[in-house]
Amino acid sequence: MTWTSSTYGLLTKAWIAILVIVFASGCTTQSQAQDFRHQQELYWHPNKDNSITWDLTRETRLPHDDNIELAGTQIAAIIRYQVDQAKQVHITRDIIFPQLRKFTKSNESLYRAYLRDDYRDDLLPVLTLADKKYESGVLDSVRIKGKITFYFREKDGLTLVRSFFPSMHERCLVEKWTLLNTGKTLRIVGIGATELQQTEQGWHGTYHRRVFTDAQRSVTLPPGAHYDFGVYFLATLNEEAAPTVSVAAIERSRDTFLDSIAVNLQLHSPDPVLNTLFYFSKIRAAESIFRSRYGLVHSPGGGNYYVGIWANDQAEYSGPFFPYLGYQTGLQAALNAYRIFQRNLPKDGGKIWASFEMDVTFPFGERDRGDAAMIAFGATHFLLASGDAQKSKELWPLITWCLAYCRQRTTAAGVVASESDELEGRFPAGSANLATSCLYYGALLQAARLAQAMHQPASVSATYHQRAKRLATAIDEYFGAEMDGLHTYKYYKENTTLRSWICLPLVVGLYQRKAGTLAALFDKLWSANGVLTELKPGASSPPVFWDRGSLYAFRGAFKAGAADQALERLTSYVTTRLTGFRVPYAVEAWPENGMAHLSAESALYCRIFTEGILGLEPTGFHSFTLRPNLPSSWSDMTINNIKAFNTTFDVSLRRSREKLQVTVVRQGQVVLQRTVSNNTIVAVQLK
């Protein structure tokens, strides 16, 4: 179906109002989960195997609570855990079946009405030992590595371990229990039954949910022996058969996914905390992919955003990341997102939709947020890095439409008008904002390279370059300003406060106001949780931060050559996110949505290293440039198994006195080896 502005008009004003309210409010029920009194505390430590552990044996900062999201193609689960002062853990499983949509009451919106429920510990099987109820020992530690595992201290010769992971393909979450006889005598353990069935009608028919265990009723454990069983949370639709469940098989599938993520795009830096968050970010960016009526689609998650696509999260943030990771499921999901946007290009000159939700059936976007610029910026990068001429030919109409739309919206001052930005009215953005113009500028440069790679007429590339040059001048003249005594940017014409998105000129290579902009980001706007969205001294409301602003700021700072300044702040941010009070991924925002683990933010974290420190920019289907900026305290950094441009290669930086030795190795063969100064552009040809 092709949507037009007239189609949008068919939606009633009342329906639109409901959607806008829900969209803007962003479900803040999680906000109480974060205790900012402990935002400076470090609870977790990284391990050599890319896991993190919270050791409770000496922990005194209790109670403490947090949550983590896990996902497969037909399920998402937010595991909330609280450890009380007695070191007893209380777990709530918020289980979401995104494709199964519920009927709602007459006064409720259908928007994001996923089949979901909370399941607490009272559903768990009761263990007995010597005919008495067995209470597990106090919590000893918690470990996270693509799964979350709770280890309990030995009690009465038994040690209990509980681990959570989703099925990668079925509507099923598994809670795996391991009973280990750590004593010196035989133990006979009784395991009670667990059975809960729920049935209700929904948009797609009859939904059946079931919670049950496959445990034997009695298990005999000699010393040193162990027994595994599962507690399963699953759903089926209509008369479909329930999936065959097996703890071992489902865990094997999850481990296969984790192993595939671990092998590709490996970061080796001198800082194990940065490396571990990089690995974790690959997991979160890649797992949040769901089946839809148009095939696989990447979605933000976070308890609110499933089986849908957004111009910022999917087209701009995560789409360009997947070619480097080489995760085929992610590549397919990114391609599907661009295809969906192209399939729904307006035919009447109207704006493009900002998102498609409800199993990609419902387009939404009350205002032009600069979505065409977002899509063009992301899609051109994705196509170049994918190294696929055929897909580029297929999606070229999407690129040209988005660029033409931005040009039509160009004002007399030479910048691009948009009614809003990706924060959708949460903060003022004027009639023309810096983000939209910068993304359009970056898209023009990449489109020029893409046109050249596709052997378009030379005039196409030349025209885009000329427009980019004029736009760069206009951005500086229109947005350049003295703000808070700094030579930086105002976010929109009437803007009087410093804003986080002033980092975007650095991201797209506009460095005229670099020093003032970096000072604004990393001094004035800096907080314990990264870059604040706005600096508003004396405000009565709590400070707001969106991690995406910080992640873009780090990338831009490294690209601009401020490696040492960026590393100091990046290290602080990563230490908090990986080992602090809210772990183990980049988050969406605060206070909105309670620092949810949105997926595309994790892709943005990885891009700090590929596009920031390496300065990697695709220039063709088999070529790119590097502009390395290695911090002075680092002797080296390598990213192995980069899966882009239809090949596999490594890039390593090694300090050689006052210079850097840059080496690119493709499938065992040295493609390039040069010694250059920091912040020097190096061209690489892979074919």
Side-chain angles (χ1 to χ4, degrees), residues 61-328:
R61 298 162 297 180
L62 297 172
H64 177 66
D65 59 88
D66 204 353
N67 65 78
I68 182 174
E69 182 161 7
L70 308 161
T73 57
Q74 294 197 86
I75 191 168
I78 300 173
I79 307 301
R80 309 185 195 284
Y81 53 98
Q82 182 185 55
V83 182
D84 63 25
Q85 289 184 327
K87 297 184 181 177
Q88 297 292 324
V89 64
H90 310 276
I91 299 174
T92 302
R93 306 141 192 84
D94 179 4
I95 299 177
I96 304 159
F97 300 102
Q99 291 89 347
L100 303 183
R101 301 189 57 76
K102 298 193 303 181
F103 289 127
T104 56
K105 298 176 183 178
S106 59
N107 64 339
E108 294 177 331
S109 170
L110 302 177
Y111 205 42
R112 300 173 188 147
Y114 311 116
L115 181 66
R116 72 189 296 179
D117 213 339
D118 285 349
Y119 299 90
R120 301 183 185 276
D121 289 339
D122 53 10
L123 284 167
L124 299 178
V126 174
L127 304 181
T128 56
L129 186 65
D131 296 326
K132 294 182 180 179
K133 183 178 179 181
Y134 176 80
E135 300 286 357
S136 62
V138 299
L139 194 62
D140 185 81
S141 62
V142 187
R143 179 177 182 266
I144 298 177
K145 186 184 178 184
K147 297 175 273 191
I148 184 166
T149 304
F150 299 86
Y151 298 87
F152 295 83
R153 194 173 304 169
E154 180 271 338
K155 182 180 179 183
D156 296 333
L158 281 181
T159 299
L160 174 64
V161 180
R162 289 162 57 191
S163 183
F164 294 81
F165 45 88
S167 167
M168 297 308 296
H169 307 291
E170 307 292 346
R171 299 187 196 99
C172 183
L173 175 78
V174 178
E175 180 173 342
K176 174 186 174 183
W177 288 43
T178 298
L179 295 171
L180 175 65
N181 184 349
T182 49
K184 296 181 180 180
T185 60
L186 191 86
R187 291 287 187 271
I188 299 175
V189 184
I191 307 174
T194 288
E195 182 72 36
L196 172 67
Q197 297 192 39
Q198 301 165 286
T199 299
E200 63 184 282
Q201 294 299 119
W203 282 97
H204 302 293
T206 304
Y207 304 152
H208 307 279
R209 282 181 287 176
R210 186 182 176 206
V211 181
F212 66 98
T213 179
D214 61 358
Q216 300 174 22
R217 297 285 77 85
S218 179
V219 178
T220 300
L221 294 175
H226 76 277
Y227 175 66
D228 296 336
F229 67 90
V231 180
Y232 304 92
F233 303 79
L234 60 80
T236 56
L237 171 63
N238 295 327
E239 303 304 318
E240 70 183 19
T244 302
V245 293
S246 156
V247 166
I250 295 174
E251 187 167 26
R252 208 160 38 239
S253 175
R254 180 69 173 179
D255 287 342
T256 298
F257 162 73
L258 295 175
D259 290 344
S260 70
I261 296 303
V263 169
N264 293 343
L265 199 68
Q266 298 175 327
L267 172 67
H268 302 279
S269 84
D271 191 328
V273 178
L274 300 188
N275 297 343
T276 303
L277 186 58
F278 190 89
Y279 171 60
F280 274 40
S281 297
K282 292 190 293 178
I283 295 171
R284 184 68 195 125
E287 72 174 348
S288 192
I289 294 174
F290 303 93
R291 294 184 191 175
S292 81
R293 64 197 294 260
Y294 288 128
L296 296 167
V297 294
H298 187 271
S299 299
N304 284 330
Y305 313 105
Y306 301 96
V307 202
I309 60 169
W310 282 256
N312 48 347
D313 292 72
Q314 279 61 59
E316 182 191 342
Y317 302 165
S318 65
F321 168 68
F322 284 117
Y324 300 95
L325 183 60
Y327 182 51
Q328 292 302 311

Side-chain angles (χ1 to χ4, degrees), residues 48 72 165 178 206 218 264 304 375 495 523 530 550-551 565 580 584 594 647 678:
K48 291 182 179 180
F165 45 88
T178 298
T206 304
S218 179
N264 293 343
N304 284 330
I375 294 167
N495 183 209
D523 293 332
S550 298
L551 298 164
Q565 190 176 4
T647 191
N678 241 13

